[in-house]
């Protein structure tokens, strides 16, 4: 509990602002994305169309290959995140040298060793969260493959024995859930760069977090890719 007395109030306020902006933007992106069609909401509509095409395809090898390729990205990030976490724990063993290096950087605020280690642990927590989101996204893609494999033949839908649109929407929502979970992990990577600014000063953390929010907002709501998908 010594950290509570050693770390200045400015650092605590900056840390609260960091997590507040992160959680606030995640909530904002989810709520407004349903209304104004963000990048993830727009691509979710394409995922439903993909599953609608899947119900009419036989065999569905192409859809299995697409699902496998989609799962490779969260798998890569999961492995990378484990390496990053290991590197951060290794950094905890040499915090004296790392803290000395940071002190030599211009405009960097000198901090006690315990506070420096706490900042490293915050980074560890961010990447642990990212790992859980990436690994859960991987598992969701295996569920998608399972759903595609369990789809009845196209003749079943043609004869009206099952509702094609209902099956496609259910499968599309599952693919969308996997993509949104991956997006959460990727968003954690963006905010981890903002958290690194905390080693310089609390003000740098707040400014970097605001910059990350602006970048994410521009990409998810006003990017050229989104405009192309809407057109």
């Amino acid at each position: 509990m010594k950290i509570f007395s050693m770390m200045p109030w400015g650092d605590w306020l900056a840390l609260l602002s960091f997590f507040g902006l992160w959680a606030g933007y995640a909530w904002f992106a989810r709520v407004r994305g349903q209304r104004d069609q963000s990048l993830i909401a727009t691509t979710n509509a394409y995922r439903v169309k993909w599953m609608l095409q899947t119900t009419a395809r036989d065999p569905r090898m192409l859809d299995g290959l697409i699902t496998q390729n989609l799962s490779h990205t969260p798998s890569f990030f999961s492995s990378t995140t484990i390496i990053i976490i290991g590197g951060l724990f290794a950094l905890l063993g040499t915090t004296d040298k790392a803290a000395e290096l940071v002190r030599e950087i211009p405009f960097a605020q000198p901090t006690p060793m315990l506070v420096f280690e706490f900042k490293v642990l915050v980074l560890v927590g961010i990447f642990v969260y990212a790992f859980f989101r990436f690994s859960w996204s991987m598992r969701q893609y295996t569920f998608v493959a399972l759903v595609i494999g369990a789809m009845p033949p196209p003749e079943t839908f043609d004869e009206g024995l099952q509702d094609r649109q209902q099956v496609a929407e259910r499968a599309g929502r599952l693919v969308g859930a996997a993509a949104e979970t991956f997006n959460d992990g990727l968003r954690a990577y963006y905010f981890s760069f903002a958290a690194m600014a905390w080693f310089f000063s609390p003000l740098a953390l707040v400014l970097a977090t605001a910059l990350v929010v602006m970048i994410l907002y521009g990409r998810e709501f006003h990017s050229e890719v989104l405009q192309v998908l809407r057109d």
Side-chain angles (χ1 to χ4, degrees), residues 119-133:
K119 293 179 180 181
V120 176
L121 287 175
V122 170
L123 274 175
V124 171
I126 293 172
F127 283 107
V128 167
Y129 168 79
F131 170 77
F132 278 110
R133 300 309 286 169

Side-chain angles (χ1 to χ4, degrees), residues 98-201:
E100 184 179 350
L101 178 62
V102 172
R103 291 191 196 101
E104 294 177 357
I105 300 176
F107 309 108
Q109 176 180 312
T111 56
M113 192 64 63
L114 184 62
V115 176
F116 185 88
E117 292 175 348
F118 178 73
K119 293 179 180 181
V120 176
L121 287 175
V122 170
L123 274 175
V124 171
I126 293 172
F127 283 107
V128 167
Y129 168 79
F131 170 77
F132 278 110
R133 300 309 286 169
F134 288 136
S135 59
W136 179 231
S137 177
M138 286 171 51
R139 190 168 185 192
Q140 284 176 308
Y141 277 119
T142 63
F143 299 153
V144 173
L146 182 64
V147 169
I148 292 175
M151 282 184 182
E155 296 80 13
T156 304
F157 299 109
D158 296 336
E159 295 171 1
L161 299 178
Q162 283 199 21
D163 189 346
R164 183 189 301 271
Q165 187 66 36
Q166 184 181 17
V167 172
E169 287 180 358
R170 184 186 298 115
R173 286 198 304 269
L174 187 57
V175 184
E180 290 176 9
T181 305
F182 172 76
N183 191 51
D184 290 340
L186 198 60
R187 190 177 291 157
Y189 263 61
Y190 278 90
F191 280 98
S192 70
F193 284 101
M196 291 174 63
W198 194 18
F199 290 98
F200 297 95
S201 71

Side-chain angles (χ1 to χ4, degrees), residues 23-168:
Y25 177 76
W27 175 84
F28 169 81
R30 184 177 297 274
V31 172
R32 184 174 175 182
Q34 297 174 355
R35 185 185 65 189
D36 295 344
Q37 290 297 297
S38 64
L39 185 61
I40 191 70
T42 303
T43 52
N44 281 343
Y46 279 90
R47 292 181 179 96
V48 174
K49 292 180 181 179
W50 166 31
M51 288 297 126
L52 193 60
Q53 295 292 327
T54 302
T55 59
R57 250 195 297 267
D58 191 26
R60 300 187 174 103
M61 295 178 60
L62 175 62
D63 306 289
L65 289 173
I66 295 174
T67 304
Q68 184 179 11
N69 287 332
L70 288 175
S71 66
H72 282 167
T73 306
S75 175
F76 168 77
F77 274 96
S78 294
S79 303
T80 304
T81 304
I82 292 176
I83 297 174
I84 293 174
I85 293 172
L88 289 173
F89 275 116
L91 179 63
L92 286 174
T94 58
T95 49
D96 51 344
K97 295 181 180 179
E100 184 179 350
L101 178 62
V102 172
R103 291 191 196 101
E104 294 177 357
I105 300 176
F107 309 108
Q109 176 180 312
T111 56
M113 192 64 63
L114 184 62
V115 176
F116 185 88
E117 292 175 348
F118 178 73
K119 293 179 180 181
V120 176
L121 287 175
V122 170
L123 274 175
V124 171
I126 293 172
F127 283 107
V128 167
Y129 168 79
F131 170 77
F132 278 110
R133 300 309 286 169
F134 288 136
S135 59
W136 179 231
S137 177
M138 286 171 51
R139 190 168 185 192
Q140 284 176 308
Y141 277 119
T142 63
F143 299 153
V144 173
L146 182 64
V147 169
I148 292 175
M151 282 184 182
E155 296 80 13
T156 304
F157 299 109
D158 296 336
E159 295 171 1
L161 299 178
Q162 283 199 21
D163 189 346
R164 183 189 301 271
Q165 187 66 36
Q166 184 181 17
V167 172

